[in-house]
Amino acid sequence: MTTPTALGTGEAHTHLRELTVIDVRTPGEYAAGHLPGALNIPLDHIQRALPDIRDAAHRKDVLVVCASGARSEKACKILAENDITTTTLSGGTGAWAASGHELHRPQGSARTVWGMERQVRLTAGALVLLGLVLGALVHPAFRILSAGIAGGLVFSALTNTCGMAAILAKLPYNRPRALDLDRTLAEMRSR
């Protein structure tokens, strides 16, 4: 199979057994549901996993997925800069689930962590509301907080990056434990 830059959900589903699937979302998002057989290597750990991903790419084509496609595109760019050919899933796991394909959840994962986009919306909304309330009740200067968040959201949309998501990804429930990442890389080596 030649490797296109993006696969639709139908084609990915058809070729799933021929692919090494890497999910670059946070561990919490991954636990909430992922493609069957996907390995969780969060985007901020891609550099550490380069040698193992390179080896996996020599054995099978690599499909990189995230929630909507933005993080997987970033991961694919990083991998391409390191001479590793990969493809991304168009629309991410959201499109996969919307197409009626099954999502797997790790055993014993009773607690569901919200997706990163939802975490960002909650945090941004709460900070804007806090700035407006404090601006009305305490001092008008607190409205700067709301303006700063609004400016950050505009910048995020224009650059297709999200500083708030990068900060939220560092929270404990969004981070892999070192042992989990080592286990994932060992599993990738054995496939």
Side-chain angles (χ1 to χ4, degrees):
M1 174 171 133
T2 59
T3 309
T5 57
L7 285 179
T9 57
E11 190 174 2
H13 187 263
T14 300
H15 296 286
L16 195 59
R17 294 196 187 282
E18 304 164 26
L19 300 167
T20 296
V21 182
I22 298 173
D23 191 320
V24 296
R25 298 176 299 156
T26 67
E29 292 174 293
Y30 174 82
H34 56 271
L35 274 68
L39 299 166
N40 185 220
I41 303 174
L43 180 60
D44 58 345
H45 290 282
I46 287 291
Q47 292 287 345
R48 177 178 168 207
L50 283 173
D52 294 305
I53 296 171
R54 182 175 287 110
D55 290 343
H58 290 305
R59 293 186 302 274
K60 291 182 174 181
D61 288 338
V62 174
L63 177 66
V64 182
V65 300
C66 67
S68 64
R71 284 178 278 178
S72 61
E73 285 179 18
K74 284 183 187 178
C76 286
K77 285 180 185 175
I78 292 168
L79 295 168
E81 290 167 1
N82 288 278
D83 299 319
I84 302 170
T85 303
T86 58
T87 189
T88 186
L89 178 64
S90 296
T93 54
W96 179 269
S99 296
H101 301 302
E102 181 183 6
L103 291 175
H104 284 205
R105 288 167 183 78
Q107 288 182 326
S109 63
R111 191 188 88 206
T112 301
V113 175
W114 287 357
M116 186 56 65
E117 184 180 332
R118 188 174 181 191
Q119 291 180 47
V120 168
R121 288 193 316 255
L122 173 71
T123 304
L127 289 172
V128 167
L129 188 59
L130 178 66
L132 292 174
V133 169
L134 291 175
L137 299 177
V138 178
H139 192 277
F142 279 106
R143 291 183 184 142
I144 292 172
L145 174 63
S146 299
I149 296 298
L153 291 171
V154 169
F155 179 79
S156 175
L158 293 174
T159 62
N160 198 25
T161 62
C162 187
M164 188 177 291
I167 292 168
L168 291 172
K170 296 189 183 310
L171 292 173
Y173 55 84
N174 284 328
R175 308 260 328 141
R177 295 179 304 209
L179 184 61
D180 291 341
L181 187 58
D182 291 340
R183 189 177 305 126
T184 298
L185 295 177
E187 184 178 342
M188 185 184 312
R189 284 182 220 115
S190 69
R191 288 187 178 184

